[in-house]
Amino acid sequence: MHETEAGVLEEPILWISDTRPDAGLWGSLQALHGRTGLWPLLLGGSSYEPSSPWTTGQLDPGLIKSRPGDHDADVLLAGWWSVYTTVDEDDDLLSAPERLAVTAPFGNRWPGLAPAGTLQESPATRAAEFAEHLIADSWLTAPRLGLSASSRGADAPADLGWGGPLNYENDTAQFSTVLRSWEERFGARVVGLGPAELFLSVAAPPTDADHALRVAAEHFAFCPDNVWQSSTDTLIRYAESLTNRAWWSFWWD
């Protein structure tokens, strides 16, 4: 059973280790996913939120009112883009030209989905490599291994009832829809989650500036804080960091 803020669920939604996982374990469990139906995740706190929703009853799949297959990634991203590029002259710290300069050269025009990338190695290999890096690094506080009963990694955030982007959208299935699209176009795999952080390996990243800029537009629509709350405070600067990058991370304020 799993205890949430809304009560006790009869079926478990997550199995989680007591300690930091050993090297190689994430990759081994990913390889078994087709047999077990369990997708491995590295789960931890962050410097902003040390407590972990996986251990404090804050996961609740009952709050997710749709499924990833109910939505279209292009429609979702276009809608979010429209919201985040709208200038509110009464409550915006930036002027209209300054606000639209953040998303130049597109301004408030949604450029559409970026073309698919070219695989540099197998998505499973890239994901296992990134998992080792994530365990060894300090991005997640006290990382533990979780197993989600998910048919694919992209669905795990929705299946768990994870609320990382809650300040923007409380239906995590919509984000999983986009993650499915990234799985298919960029060989992306969900490797880790923090309270409001998401970590993906990427086996087919953009390899030139124009492609990276189109991908950056998707990232901004998916998680505007990646641009708004970073030193790469314009889409063009942010895109420079995406060329040939083997992993993507997202953080919602």
Side-chain angles (χ1 to χ4, degrees):
M1 292 187 296
H2 178 80
E3 186 174 356
T4 74
E5 291 179 343
V8 175
L9 302 177
E10 292 299 325
E11 296 296 327
I13 60 171
L14 177 69
W15 292 260
I16 187 167
S17 67
D18 293 326
T19 60
R20 179 187 295 263
D22 294 333
L25 181 57
W26 193 97
S28 298
L29 291 169
Q30 177 196 213
L32 293 172
H33 173 255
R35 290 167 51 191
T36 65
L38 300 175
W39 184 260
L41 295 164
L42 295 174
L43 307 171
S46 70
S47 58
Y48 302 97
E49 183 59 54
S51 65
S52 300
W54 355 102
T55 58
T56 55
Q58 297 175 37
L59 296 175
D60 190 352
L63 297 177
I64 311 303
K65 301 305 182 184
S66 68
R67 295 301 302 155
D70 297 340
H71 309 284
D72 177 87
D74 191 19
V75 172
L76 287 173
L77 291 168
W80 291 330
W81 177 274
S82 177
V83 171
Y84 304 145
T85 58
T86 297
V87 178
D88 183 348
E89 295 182 354
D90 295 327
D91 191 31
D92 201 320
L93 297 177
L94 300 179
S95 66
E98 290 172 329
R99 174 60 63 198
L100 293 178
V102 172
T103 49
F106 307 120
N108 59 7
R109 176 182 61 84
W110 168 240
L113 294 182
T118 301
L119 287 176
Q120 298 178 349
E121 64 179 329
S122 79
T125 299
R126 180 62 58 88
E129 292 171 348
F130 180 52
E132 294 303 294
H133 180 66
L134 199 56
I135 291 171
D137 210 296
S138 58
W139 292 339
L140 288 172
T141 302
R144 297 159 73 175
L145 180 73
L147 294 173
S148 172
S150 301
S151 60
R152 55 197 292 180
D155 291 359
D159 290 338
L160 293 177
W162 175 69
L166 187 62
N167 289 342
Y168 289 96
E169 170 59 57
N170 61 8
D171 185 357
T172 310
Q174 296 183 26
F175 293 90
S176 285
T177 299
V178 177
L179 294 175
R180 283 184 174 191
S181 181
W182 288 349
E183 279 186 348
E184 295 159 2
R185 286 183 291 134
F186 305 112
R189 297 294 183 266
V190 176
V191 175
L193 294 172
E197 295 80 25
L198 170 66
F199 299 94
L200 310 178
S201 62
V202 186
T207 57
D208 63 68
D210 289 341
H211 194 193
L213 191 58
R214 293 283 298 278
V215 174
E218 293 193 32
H219 283 207
F220 176 79
F222 184 79
C223 178
D225 287 330
N226 267 34
V227 176
W228 287 343
Q229 304 288 346
S230 74
S231 57
T232 55
D233 57 353
T234 66
L235 204 64
I236 291 174
R237 292 195 190 101
Y238 179 74
E240 293 171 354
S241 70
L242 295 181
T243 303
N244 289 312
R245 190 171 183 173
W247 54 268
W248 297 342
S249 62
F250 301 91
W251 168 66
W252 289 266
D253 189 2

